Amino acid sequence: MAHVWAEATLWIGLALIAVLLSIWLKIATALSEIVVGTVAQLVIGALVGRGFLGTTEGWITFLAGTGSIVLTFLAGAELDPVVFKAKWKQATLMGLVGFFAPFLGCTAVAYYALHWAPAPSWLAGVALSTTSVAVVYAVMLELGLNQTEFGKIILAGCFVNDLATVIALGLIFAPFTLKTAAFIGTSVPVFLFLPWLTPRFFKWFGGRPSELEAKYLLFLMFGLGALAAWADSEAVLPAYLIGMVLAGTVGKDHALVRRLRTLTFGLLTPFYFIRAGSFVSVPALVSAPLVFVALLLAKMASKFAGVYPVTKYQRYVPKEGMYTTLMMSTGLTFGTISSLFGLSHHIIDQAQYSFLVATVVGSAVVPTMIANAYFLPHYLLPKPEQAPKVEVVQAVSVGPGKGGSL
Amino acid sequence: MIPRKILVGYDGSSHSQKAFRHALELAKANQSGLLVLSVAVPAEPAVDVEMEDMLEEAEEHFREDFKQLEASAKEKGVDLETQILVGHPAEQIIRHAKEWGADLIVVGHRGKGRIAEWLLGSVSKRVTSYAPCSVTVVR
């Protein structure tokens, strides 16, 4: 048991370093954890051997897998069901365009330009088809568009985009057998029944210190996840759907969501993202950097081809349209989940995994940098020549002792 | 010109607290309206769930700070409004100053974090370059 505690100390230590880096550099913790995982494996591998980090040990795999499942559930639970019900046609169109353009585009580039085999090419398409609801939401808030009709459609469309990604991931690589039929046949009635049962169950038995709600949700996610894995599908598929169908009930229980986030970010996702980063082979990336460039360009260009015309059609101001399109090209969570699924199911090899994760990270960072540098809607600001009068003062006249309570 | 509407950029740093105190004195002396604006800056790139969590925590943090600012304003007999926006601080301050019709923007000389300033640029410099009204930078 001593080595388990030692390994746990090492992993949580890495997670701590990742958090400090993210605070220091003002970057997302997930991104920081992936980078720390990659560097840690490289350094530890060179110093004491690749097995020292224990990335394939059962308990680490379990915590990492649970992290991806609960994170996916929480992502699904952020859906606004009222908006989705009102705008589902437009959102579905937007989401499907946002999914199919990069899915087909990146698959084609992987197959025809990089000469990957069909299965890895399809997986590349899935991994790079994602978008980030969070990034788009942040942009909407920044531009004050989150309350506009088009803003709501885009946000709902992002959920459809990611749903299409997890469905593709869950079904494309699973041979359609009786197991698949059993998985679908069991899951669909459960998804239909849950929105009715869950609020009643919580009302009868919930609200106690024993955290019944968290156990109930984990029970569902593990149960349907096990069924999905048994059918050669992916456990995040039912987790995302459970999140979406419970968005109107559990998603509105703020205290419960906060407790689940504490569990997720405090313990689970560090294992998931650091582990995902640790499988990245830096030598593979260095030996063929153009593969990364080709995949990144494919993702951004195909997303652009799909999404930008829709923003034009909706009469978006060009810079806002470009800004939104660039922001929709990101997708860290589902991109890494898809890539790790491919690696663990031997659909892709470690080099291909490394290129995909690097592209997923690149697609999260590069469009953000371009958008901030060139397409942040500076038109909102007056020209510098209208610069106002500036006064610099030493404000020491009022201190806490003189009535200020700061 | 007597400022009738004063907007303060507030990030919780000691510099922004100085800026608030300066603005409060001005508002008291001139019977001006005072708006404290805080901007939550999402980590980049924004990641699902994590960003939502960060925004909620930022809002809670600023709301807690606002209670103290409101108490100070009440003591001075100044009407205080508070608002939390999301995005790049300078852009949001300028944009909101324009929409609100501020006569004066008051900001601290330096905000939180040298690294963040290096990455995002100085908020006070950006505000002084692009503001639609007079700007006071408090040292």
Side-chain angles (χ1 to χ4, degrees):
Chain A
M1 196 63 191
H3 86 280
V4 171
W5 297 127
E7 275 177 348
T9 309
L10 176 63
W11 278 75
I12 296 296
L14 292 174
L16 202 56
I17 291 170
V19 171
L20 290 173
L21 270 179
S22 74
I23 293 169
W24 198 42
L25 297 173
K26 278 207 176 270
I27 58 170
T29 316
L31 177 63
S32 176
E33 284 167 350
I34 291 174
V35 173
V36 165
T38 304
V39 174
Q41 179 67 354
L42 198 67
V43 174
I44 292 171
L47 293 177
V48 281
R50 292 184 65 83
F52 191 76
L53 209 53
T55 43
T56 51
E57 287 207 23
W59 70 273
I60 290 174
T61 309
F62 168 73
L63 284 181
T66 308
S68 69
I69 288 172
V70 183
L71 186 64
T72 311
F73 164 79
L74 287 170
E78 285 180 358
L79 174 77
D80 185 341
V82 177
V83 171
F84 189 74
K85 272 179 194 160
K87 308 282 176 199
W88 70 270
K89 282 182 189 166
Q90 299 97 314
T92 303
L93 175 71
M94 186 96 192
L96 290 180
V97 168
F99 166 74
F100 275 109
F103 171 60
L104 297 175
C106 294
T107 301
V109 166
Y111 185 73
Y112 292 109
L114 303 177
H115 305 295
W116 288 11
S121 300
W122 285 118
L123 192 106
V126 171
L128 302 179
S129 67
T130 65
T131 189
S132 170
V133 177
V135 172
V136 177
Y137 184 53
V139 173
M140 294 293 160
L141 286 173
E142 199 169 341
L143 299 177
L145 297 174
N146 54 315
Q147 293 304 321
T148 65
E149 193 167 316
F150 185 50
K152 288 176 178 175
I153 292 169
I154 284 196
L155 275 174
C158 289
F159 281 95
V160 176
N161 188 151
D162 281 343
L163 179 62
T165 299
V166 289
I167 289 175
L169 184 67
L171 298 180
I172 285 181
F173 303 101
F176 198 91
T177 61
L178 278 176
K179 286 180 180 178
T180 320
F183 165 52
I184 295 171
T186 309
S187 303
V188 172
V190 171
F191 294 143
L192 293 174
F193 187 50
L194 278 181
W196 180 88
L197 174 71
T198 306
R200 286 166 179 80
F201 189 68
F202 285 4
K203 195 177 169 188
W204 294 329
F205 303 110
R208 295 159 208 266
S210 50
E211 296 289 355
L212 170 132
E213 294 90 341
K215 286 164 188 155
Y216 168 89
L217 293 171
L218 285 173
F219 171 75
L220 288 171
M221 284 184 259
F222 286 155
L224 288 178
L227 197 61
W230 173 71
D232 287 327
S233 184
E234 166 57 46
V236 297
L237 170 57
Y240 194 57
L241 284 162
I242 293 169
M244 287 179 98
V245 299
L246 294 182
T249 53
V250 173
K252 286 182 177 168
D253 185 343
H254 207 65
L256 174 58
V257 169
R258 289 297 289 270
R259 292 202 299 276
L260 287 173
R261 281 184 199 156
T262 305
L263 168 75
T264 309
F265 295 131
L267 179 67
L268 301 173
T269 51
F271 281 90
Y272 171 68
F273 284 114
I274 290 173
R275 186 171 180 266
S278 74
F279 290 128
V280 171
S281 164
V282 176
L285 288 175
V286 173
S287 66
L290 285 180
V291 174
F292 159 72
V293 174
L295 288 170
L296 184 63
L297 287 177
K299 163 143 193 178
M300 289 177 66
S302 55
K303 206 70 159 179
F304 179 85
V307 177
Y308 190 67
V310 181
T311 65
K312 291 286 280 183
Y313 175 71
Q314 295 286 344
R315 295 178 185 173
Y316 238 45
V317 176
K319 274 201 164 185
E320 283 184 3
M322 185 65 85
Y323 193 55
T324 307
T325 306
L326 280 164
M327 293 285 105
M328 279 190 78
S329 302
T330 66
L332 201 63
T333 308
F334 289 102
T336 52
I337 286 173
S338 306
S339 305
L340 201 52
F341 173 86
L343 183 68
S344 58
H345 286 73
H346 308 292
I347 298 165
I348 52 175
D349 58 31
Q350 198 184 2
Q352 288 167 327
Y353 171 82
S354 306
F355 291 124
L356 287 180
V357 171
T359 307
V360 165
V361 170
S363 74
V365 175
V366 175
T368 307
M369 285 169 68
I370 295 174
N372 284 344
Y374 300 108
F375 296 104
L376 190 71
H378 290 292
Y379 67 88
L380 293 167
L381 310 177
K383 292 194 185 333
E385 52 264 29
Q386 297 169 331
K389 183 189 166 198
V390 180
E391 182 193 2
V392 179
V393 297
Q394 295 277 1
V396 290
S397 56
V398 184
K402 293 185 180 178
S405 59
L406 292 166
Chain B
M1 191 189 101
I2 297 169
R4 293 288 167 215
K5 287 179 143 186
I6 304 172
L7 186 152
V8 189
Y10 182 85
D11 68 356
S13 64
S14 59
H15 292 272
S16 71
Q17 289 177 3
K18 273 186 189 174
F20 171 73
R21 289 197 291 266
H22 179 76
L24 190 58
E25 284 299 304
L26 276 178
K28 187 190 171 191
N30 299 302
Q31 292 183 315
S32 318
L34 185 60
L35 170 66
V36 173
L37 189 67
S38 293
V39 183
V41 186
E44 289 187 345
V47 177
D48 297 311
V49 189
E50 186 184 332
M51 193 205 75
E52 191 77 15
D53 195 48
M54 175 264 161
L55 289 182
E56 281 177 15
E57 294 217 355
E59 187 162 340
E60 270 176 28
H61 171 77
F62 285 132
R63 293 261 169 253
E64 216 34 56
D65 274 15
F66 287 169
K67 282 181 193 165
Q68 288 182 303
L69 305 188
E70 278 157 1
S72 303
K74 198 176 173 186
E75 214 171 283
K76 302 267 180 192
V78 173
D79 283 337
L80 178 71
E81 288 178 51
T82 55
Q83 189 146 9
I84 301 168
L85 298 175
V86 176
H88 290 66
E91 266 81 4
Q92 294 299 329
I93 288 172
I94 294 158
R95 185 174 156 193
H96 206 73
K98 208 173 170 186
E99 283 173 10
W100 189 58
D103 301 311
L104 175 68
I105 298 173
V106 182
V107 287
H109 172 58
R110 193 180 285 282
K112 276 184 167 176
R114 301 273 170 112
I115 295 284
E117 189 176 302
W118 178 67
L119 288 172
L120 298 171
S122 161
V123 173
S124 59
K125 275 183 198 162
R126 260 188 155 167
V127 170
T128 51
S129 302
Y130 292 99
C133 57
S134 297
V135 180
T136 297
V137 180
V138 180
R139 282 186 183 274

